[in-house]
Amino acid sequence: MNQTIQDILKRRSIRAFQKRLVPEDDLSAILEAGLYAPSAVNEQPWHFTVIQNKDMLAELNVKTKDLLKKHPNPLFRNSGKDQEYNIFYHAPTVIIVSSQDDALVPQIDCAVATENMLIAAQSLGIASCWIGNVKWLFETAGDEYKTRFKLPQGYTPSHGVSLGYSAIPAVQAPPRKGNAINYIK
Ligand SMILES: Cc1cc2nc3c(=O)[nH]c(=O)nc-3n(C[C@H](O)[C@H](O)[C@H](O)COP(=O)(O)O)c2cc1C
């Protein structure tokens, strides 16, 4: 099996991070992998904001958890109330992915770019976790963060990616569901 496929199979969502930052050149390579994702009619409708400011990360965590506490789904409500839960798992770097509002399929394109970054991180020995939960904050206070993230006009923040060095031993992949592939020859 080649290295790319091994990296895809080995990538796991990591939920505990060391404090040390990833080197700048690795971070740049991860972001570039995102920029080189395919996109519908080549719109490249993404924007990446790298946040390493501790106060900003703490604020995003607290405000998202405040919203989770009021969520109709008890699963989300409980995570909002959980004192131990940090939505970014204390990763020292978070990439916020924003999507271009008037693109054809911005959410799909941004998801593709995000996965490119997760695999690139894995290939460099860097741990990651896709953070969808921050969307609850962006859905209510998105306009404020468009300004504070200095986004170009017409982009809306969507989700995050926690990045850093894992603070836990290797995680096993959850078992794969069956019946996900068939052939018509
Ligand atoms: C759209 C999306 C949103 C996600 N949001 C979160 C999240 O907010 N917090 C979290 O811990 N994991 C989140 N994840 C990670 C999934 O829980 C994880 O990918 C899944 O459990 C499979 O585990 P694996 O990534 O180790 O294969 C998200 C993944 C996706 C694709």
Side-chain angles (χ1 to χ4, degrees):
M1 203 180 292
N2 75 24
Q3 194 56 50
T4 305
I5 296 175
Q6 283 187 45
D7 288 330
I8 291 170
L9 298 191
K10 277 198 189 140
R11 181 214 55 80
R12 296 275 69 78
S13 296
I14 298 301
R15 298 186 172 90
F17 292 88
Q18 299 175 24
K19 286 194 170 70
R20 74 186 159 114
L21 288 170
V22 299
E24 287 287 329
D25 53 345
D26 284 355
L27 181 57
S28 298
I30 291 166
L31 292 161
E32 191 163 23
L35 294 179
Y36 274 77
S39 60
V41 295
N42 192 29
E43 284 188 299
Q44 303 176 34
W46 42 64
H47 184 88
F48 309 136
T49 306
V50 179
I51 305 184
Q52 295 178 321
N53 179 295
K54 290 190 179 108
D55 293 339
M56 172 68 88
L57 293 176
E59 175 190 319
L60 295 173
N61 174 52
V62 168
K63 288 191 171 172
T64 301
K65 284 184 70 182
D66 283 347
L67 290 167
L68 284 172
K69 282 176 198 157
K70 295 179 244 159
H71 200 280
N73 182 325
L75 213 74
F76 288 111
R77 250 197 334 270
N78 288 339
S79 55
K81 288 179 193 156
D82 181 352
Q83 305 263 355
E84 298 296 305
Y85 175 59
N86 176 287
I87 68 158
F88 301 120
Y89 306 103
H90 302 286
T93 300
V94 172
I95 301 171
I96 298 293
V97 178
S98 299
S99 60
Q100 188 188 320
D101 302 330
D102 62 358
L104 211 57
V105 281
Q107 283 300 321
I108 294 176
D109 294 335
C110 285
V112 173
T114 302
E115 176 66 354
N116 262 19
M117 293 195 279
L118 303 185
I119 295 164
Q122 172 68 33
S123 77
L124 294 165
I126 292 167
S128 66
C129 189
W130 186 315
I131 307 298
N133 263 340
V134 71
K135 83 170 187 162
W136 305 115
L137 177 60
F138 295 151
E139 276 178 7
T140 58
D143 283 346
E144 176 190 338
Y145 288 103
K146 284 179 196 179
T147 313
R148 293 183 61 202
F149 293 160
K150 303 185 174 78
L151 294 184
Q153 195 69 28
Y155 283 76
T156 300
S158 167
H159 58 272
V161 174
S162 286
L163 277 184
Y165 291 102
S166 175
I168 50 170
V171 176
Q172 281 293 313
R176 297 298 99 184
K177 284 167 126 182
N179 282 330
I181 301 171
N182 72 332
Y183 293 85
I184 298 173
K185 289 189 176 174

